[in-house]
């Protein structure tokens, strides 16, 4: 019976696939691949400029990417950079939570007033900096629907995803055979899949400091933040270097920690899910022991606990309605360090970007296994002191978030993958305003931030490497160049790339924040629309025209100039102290 069901299912699948492949190609003026927050703003902007737009949702119609997948504790750095559709999104969030009916599991008046460097709900600006995932997704859906964006669910054919005529993409091919034609294309995917399919050059991993005269790229050493914090013995038999390593050591070379500071490599900073947890009993799904749980996978956690680790297993940054944005917060936490790249059994290097869709799905599940297994371990394992178990036991997944995915966010936090390689490259110096950008399309303001990339062994103990958190301080915000989102003229003339843009690893560590992604998505669609109107390659759009339209749509392209000082003629009184 099982065989007959499988045969029937296979026959139906083949029939459906052949029908899909044989269907007439779809067409739009602008085709946006990738349903992240910047993909949505790109699609909305294109539609508002009068263009027909198809948004290809590669996550089954769940719009918003990380912004609607748990990253509700907004990373921004400075709210002055919010403009256009990015500002509109955070304004809509603010308005949503002004309605008392939005507060189900807690009282609005008891919710914290301060978020990450900004008020959670600011009545002076009508902006919010925190939100629940489901609220973000609904707002993105509303914006897309109101603009008339056509949404098509599917994923790119990674082998033959772009059909080109010369240097122009004519069609995008999905992995089920459907074809979408367009005049302009925007790759808003976190992986840069369309860019790669079109033959556009890209870079991956960490550049050496020498390549672009930087100071925070490449190998960092083991003295930076999010370190292990306690002495965790790296060997299966503690103290015995001949017994092998516990699991989680991703670079077992005994001399790995001696690598020259600033050396480049192909490693990726760690990924994780931004889990949305709750301690509201009526909405809580208890964390159960993961299927195929192996204690050895969490030996590093247990040993850390046994030598004193009690805190910082994950963040509990508060979201409305007693929920959290639970990000990585220490050297042993949510990040699955060194697990998004490697070498296969044939000795061939791989990383998240080079994997096929199904392989990525499998690897994403491994990340969920690590995170849920870590939580279950600290909540239940007998090697964990009862006091620690009790302190962390109140957290579980949310019944009303990601309900069609067992409470797990739709998007893994792909912090970086491919980055386009164009004649202009955003570097650390641009982020510090030490090099000029004369064609700004958006602004960044966040710390140059890289999570750890590997686990090493130093003097018999486990150490992390790769963490960089360098604030811009008084050197930011900074401008982001239009040239960074367009390929070389000889490679592709009708493609814009607002996420996997041309930048170094450490510069991307600041640029990659979701609010900036929204701004860049809007800028990309603005340029695409102008390119259609002018009949020009995206590389030849007059910046004056692009700037004029962006400003008309409330974009923030530079910080306002300070007001000139008033020189008083006579006696100047301080209004705050004077009595009138």
């Amino acid at each position: 019976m099982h065989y007959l069901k499988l045969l029937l299912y296979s026959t139906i699948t083949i029939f459906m696939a052949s029908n899909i492949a044989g269907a007439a190609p779809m067409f739009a003026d602008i085709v946006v691949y990738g349903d992240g927050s910047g993909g949505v703003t790109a699609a909305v902007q294109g539609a508002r400029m009068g263009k027909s737009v198809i948004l290809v949702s590669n996550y089954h119609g769940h719009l918003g990417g990380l912004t609607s997948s748990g990253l509700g504790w907004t990373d921004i750095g400075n709210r002055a950079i919010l403009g256009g559709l990015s500002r509109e999104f955070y304004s809509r969030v603010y308005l949503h939570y002004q309605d008392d009916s939005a507060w189900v599991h807690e009282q609005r008046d008891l919710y914290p007033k301060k978020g990450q460097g900004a008020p959670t709900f600011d009545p002076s600006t009508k902006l919010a900096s925190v939100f629940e995932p489901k609220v973000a997704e609904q707002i993105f859906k509303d914006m897309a629907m109101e603009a008339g964006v056509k949404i098509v669910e599917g994923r790119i054919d990674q082998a033959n995803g772009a059909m080109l005529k010369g240097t122009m993409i004519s069609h995008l091919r999905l992995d089920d055979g459907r074809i979408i034609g367009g005049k302009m294309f925007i790759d808003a995917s976190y992986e840069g899949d369309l860019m790669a399919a079109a033959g556009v050059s890209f870079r991956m991993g960490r550049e050496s400091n020498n390549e672009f005269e930087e100071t925070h790229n490449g190998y960092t050493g083991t003295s930076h933040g999010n370190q292990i914090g306690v002495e965790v013995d790296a060997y299966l038999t503690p103290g015995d270097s001949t017994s092998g390593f516990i699991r989680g050591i991703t670079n077992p070379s005994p001399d790995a920690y001696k690598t020259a500071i600033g050396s480049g490599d192909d490693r990726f900073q760690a990924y994780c899910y931004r889990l949305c947890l709750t301690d509201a009993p009526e909405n809580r799904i208890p964390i159960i022991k993961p299927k195929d749980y192996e204690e050895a996978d969490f030996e590093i956690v247990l040993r850390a606990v046994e030598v004193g680790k009690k805190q910082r297993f994950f963040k509990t940054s508060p979201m409305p309605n007693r929920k959290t944005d639970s990000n990585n917060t220490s050297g042993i936490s949510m990040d699955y360090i060194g697990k998004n790249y490697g070498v296969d059994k044939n000795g061939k290097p791989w990383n998240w970007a080079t994997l096929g869709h199904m392989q990525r799905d499998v690897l994403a599940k491994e990340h969920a296994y690590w995170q849920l297994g870590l939580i279950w371990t600290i909540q239940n394992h007998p090697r964990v002191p009862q006091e620690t178990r009790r302190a962390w036991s109140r957290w579980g997944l949310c019944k009303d978030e990601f309900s069609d995915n067992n409470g797990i966010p739709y998007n893994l936090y792909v912090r970086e993958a491919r980055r386009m390689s164009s004649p202009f490259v955003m570097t650390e110096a641009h982020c510090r305003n030490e090099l000029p950008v004369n064609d700004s399309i958006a602004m960044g303001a966040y710390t140059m931030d890289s999570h750890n990339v590997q686990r090493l062994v130093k003097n018999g103990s486990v150490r992390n490497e790769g963490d960089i958190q360098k604030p811009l301080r008084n050197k930011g915000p900074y401008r982001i160049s239009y040239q960074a989102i367009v390929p070389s003229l000889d490679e592709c003339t009708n493609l814009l790339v607002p996420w996997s843009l041309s930048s170094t690893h450490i510069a991307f560590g600041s640029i990659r924040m979701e609010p900036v992604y929204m701004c860049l998505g809007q800028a990309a669609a603005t340029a695409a629309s102008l390119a259609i109107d002018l009949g020009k390659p995206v590389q030849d759009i007059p910046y004056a025209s692009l700037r004029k339209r962006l400003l008309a749509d409330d974009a923030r392209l530079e910080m306002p100039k300070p007001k000139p000082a008033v020189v008083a003629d006579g006696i100047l009184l301080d209004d705050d102290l004077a009595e009138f």
Side-chain angles (χ1 to χ4, degrees):
M1 179 65 95
H2 175 72
Y3 171 77
L4 292 176
K5 285 184 179 180
L6 181 61
L7 180 63
L8 178 61
Y9 173 78
S10 300
T11 303
I12 292 172
T13 301
I14 294 170
F15 176 75
M16 291 176 64
S18 62
N19 282 348
I20 290 172
M26 296 171 277
F27 185 88
D29 294 326
I30 299 174
V31 179
V32 181
Y33 180 72
D35 55 14
S37 59
V40 176
T41 57
V44 170
Q45 177 68 9
R48 289 185 181 181
M49 290 184 70
K51 302 299 184 284
S52 59
V53 179
I54 291 176
L55 172 62
V56 181
S57 169
N58 51 335
Y59 279 88
H60 312 294
H62 294 292
L63 304 186
L66 259 295
T67 298
S68 58
S69 277
L71 204 166
W73 185 258
T74 304
D75 299 323
I76 180 169
N78 189 326
R79 288 178 301 160
I81 72 171
L82 293 178
L85 294 174
S86 178
R87 195 174 189 88
E88 180 179 329
F89 170 81
Y90 293 103
S91 178
R92 288 191 182 212
V93 173
Y94 175 87
L95 292 175
H96 171 84
Y97 286 107
Q98 297 312 297
D99 188 336
D100 289 341
S101 66
W103 298 88
V104 178
H105 299 292
E106 69 179 322
Q107 297 179 33
R108 176 170 55 182
D109 293 343
L110 299 180
Y111 185 74
K113 301 297 188 293
K114 187 177 181 180
Q116 185 177 189
T120 50
F121 301 101
D122 190 344
S124 65
T125 60
K126 302 294 190 293
L127 296 175
S129 65
V130 296
F131 44 85
E132 298 161 274
K134 64 180 183 180
V135 171
E137 181 177 351
Q138 188 59 54
I139 289 173
F140 283 125
K141 286 182 176 179
D142 290 345
M143 292 174 70
M145 181 188 67
E146 292 163 9
V149 173
K150 181 177 180 179
I151 298 172
V152 173
E153 296 180 26
R155 301 193 289 194
I156 192 171
D157 179 339
Q158 291 171 293
N160 300 286
M163 302 165 64
L164 281 82
K165 292 182 178 179
T167 58
M168 296 186 67
I169 302 172
S170 62
H171 295 84
L172 163 67
R173 181 185 286 109
L174 301 181
D175 61 1
D176 61 9
R178 287 176 294 168
I179 294 175
I180 306 172
K183 297 176 183 178
M184 290 286 153
F185 291 81
I186 296 173
D187 185 349
S189 67
Y190 289 111
E191 293 84 7
D193 281 341
L194 175 55
M195 171 184 74
V200 172
S201 301
F202 57 86
R203 60 180 66 230
M204 296 185 288
R206 302 184 289 185
E207 295 85 1
S208 70
N209 275 331
N210 292 335
E211 185 172 356
F212 291 97
E213 298 182 359
E214 296 177 306
T215 56
H216 301 303
N217 215 329
Y219 179 80
T220 66
T222 59
S223 61
H224 288 274
N226 281 324
Q227 199 43 263
I228 299 293
V230 291
E231 292 299 317
V232 174
D233 195 295
Y235 305 119
L236 288 175
T237 301
D240 182 1
S241 61
T242 66
S243 63
F245 296 110
I246 61 173
R247 296 180 189 178
I249 308 298
T250 58
N251 189 344
S253 170
D255 295 324
Y257 71 94
K258 297 178 182 178
T259 303
I261 301 296
S263 300
D265 59 29
D266 296 325
R267 294 181 170 90
F268 279 25
Q269 62 174 305
Y271 300 168
C272 71
Y273 282 103
R274 299 288 285 250
L275 292 181
C276 186
L277 305 176
T278 184
D279 64 352
E282 68 278 12
N283 195 35
R284 179 178 178 271
I285 304 173
I287 304 294
I288 61 173
K289 189 176 185 178
K291 183 181 178 182
D292 301 326
Y293 176 93
E294 292 187 33
E295 181 178 311
D297 291 329
F298 303 94
E299 181 66 19
I300 189 173
V301 180
L302 294 168
R303 290 191 181 187
V305 168
E306 288 170 342
V307 294
K309 183 175 174 65
K310 298 179 180 179
Q311 300 296 329
R312 301 185 68 207
F313 295 103
F314 52 85
K315 285 185 177 178
T316 55
S317 304
M319 298 295 100
N321 288 309
R322 290 176 64 177
K323 299 175 183 176
T324 73
D325 172 349
S326 288
N327 191 17
N328 189 81
T329 188
S330 71
I332 301 175
S333 182
M334 294 286 98
D335 281 353
Y336 204 22
I337 297 174
K339 298 296 186 178
N340 49 6
Y341 64 88
V343 177
D344 66 20
K345 61 183 179 181
N346 298 316
K348 183 179 179 181
W350 63 269
N351 61 51
W352 175 271
T354 66
L355 296 179
H357 295 305
M358 294 183 67
Q359 292 171 310
R360 289 177 187 167
D361 291 343
V362 170
L363 186 52
K365 289 180 180 178
E366 291 177 12
H367 279 71
Y369 166 79
W370 164 257
Q371 293 181 248
L372 296 176
L374 182 148
I375 298 173
W376 183 88
T377 297
I378 63 172
Q379 289 182 342
N380 298 280
H381 202 285
R383 287 171 63 185
V384 177
Q386 186 175 9
E387 179 184 356
T388 301
R389 279 183 272 157
R390 185 184 302 115
W392 292 90
S393 64
R394 70 190 224 251
W395 299 107
L397 298 171
C398 301
K399 293 179 182 178
D400 64 345
E401 297 287 358
F402 319 112
S403 56
D404 57 348
N405 199 40
N406 300 314
I408 306 298
Y410 305 117
N411 287 74
L412 183 66
Y413 196 172
V414 177
R415 290 187 169 96
E416 95 186 289
R418 298 183 180 98
R419 302 186 307 281
M420 185 164 57
S421 182
S422 293
F424 180 92
V425 182
M426 290 289 296
T427 70
E428 177 184 319
H430 294 106
C431 295
R432 292 187 177 279
N433 285 311
E434 294 167 357
L435 283 177
V437 169
N438 299 316
D439 56 351
S440 175
I441 54 171
M443 300 191 76
Y446 198 74
T447 295
M448 288 184 287
D449 179 350
S450 173
H451 286 229
N452 281 304
V453 306
Q454 61 181 331
R455 283 202 168 111
L456 315 170
V457 177
K458 183 177 181 180
N459 300 327
S461 294
V462 183
R463 289 289 181 267
N464 293 338
E465 186 276 318
D467 181 271
I468 284 285
Q469 298 173 46
K470 292 296 179 181
L472 302 176
R473 294 191 174 91
N474 61 341
K475 294 193 174 184
Y478 57 89
R479 303 173 183 182
I480 301 173
S481 171
Y482 175 62
Q483 297 172 76
I485 71 168
V486 295
S488 298
L489 182 63
D490 61 348
E491 290 189 336
C492 193
T493 54
N494 67 336
L495 174 69
L496 298 114
V497 186
W499 173 262
S500 301
L501 78 173
S502 182
S503 73
T504 65
H505 157 76
I506 196 58
F508 189 76
S510 172
I511 296 168
R512 65 182 174 85
M513 302 306 147
E514 291 283 298
V516 179
Y517 179 27
M518 294 185 215
C519 296
L520 290 171
Q522 181 173 2
T526 303
S529 298
L530 292 175
I532 293 172
D533 294 342
L534 298 172
K536 291 179 176 289
V538 294
Q539 292 84 357
D540 293 340
I541 298 301
Y543 176 65
S545 300
L546 177 58
R547 177 182 176 84
K548 181 179 179 181
R549 179 63 197 234
L550 288 173
L551 291 174
D553 289 330
D554 195 36
R556 304 294 195 268
L557 306 184
E558 61 268 318
M559 292 297 287
K561 295 180 179 180
K563 296 179 180 179
V566 177
V567 179
D569 182 14
I571 298 174
L572 181 64
L573 295 178
D574 187 320
D575 287 353
D576 291 334
L577 299 178
E579 294 183 4
F580 295 93

